[in-house]
Amino acid sequence: MRTLVVLTLLAVLVMAATSYESHESMESHEYLNPFLNRRRANDFIQADTRLRGITQERIRERSKAPQEHQRELCEDYFPCEMYAFRHGYAAAYKHYFGRRRTK
């Protein structure tokens, strides 16, 4: 009988030790409220990397390659566009706009 009481007491102590929630486990806010608000949801993303990407995209939009600028000019002028379908945009631009010289 004495052994049974000791084993029961030992089992209660082991169970209490393993199921005890310490203060450190309660420090996490996820225990009480598992959902994040919208502002904290994207805190792990650096703002400067996103802004740098947007800035680079805007710079690329402003500074176009000369060939792209020539193609847009040619697309706006219908005869040049028709000529470009047969001979290419570089030849069409040279044919219609290449001889223009400003003095």
Side-chain angles (χ1 to χ4, degrees):
M1 178 78 175
R2 191 175 200 199
T3 311
L4 184 63
V5 171
V6 171
L7 286 175
T8 306
L9 188 62
L10 187 61
V12 168
L13 285 174
V14 168
M15 193 169 72
T18 56
S19 65
Y20 172 73
E21 289 194 21
S22 66
H23 180 66
E24 287 86 16
S25 66
M26 297 294 275
E27 285 179 357
S28 175
H29 299 291
E30 296 168 354
Y31 178 76
L32 299 174
N33 187 8
F35 301 105
L36 295 174
N37 65 15
R38 291 180 186 173
R39 291 185 184 179
R40 295 225 30 220
N42 291 325
D43 279 349
F44 61 92
I45 297 176
Q46 304 329 334
D48 60 336
T49 56
R50 289 184 288 160
L51 290 177
R52 190 174 350 135
I54 292 169
T55 306
Q56 290 294 327
E57 183 180 343
R58 297 294 177 241
I59 289 172
R60 276 186 250 119
E61 284 178 0
R62 274 189 266 144
S63 58
K64 295 180 182 176
Q67 293 84 5
E68 186 176 353
H69 183 67
Q70 290 174 0
R71 182 180 178 134
E72 287 178 356
L73 282 174
C74 193
E75 285 176 350
D76 290 339
Y77 185 54
F78 186 71
C80 182
E81 189 175 15
M82 289 294 111
Y83 192 88
F85 285 142
R86 289 188 181 173
H87 304 287
Y89 280 100
Y93 180 82
K94 191 182 291 183
H95 179 76
Y96 285 99
F97 301 108
R99 288 178 266 161
R100 286 189 178 176
R101 303 273 186 232
T102 56
K103 293 183 180 180

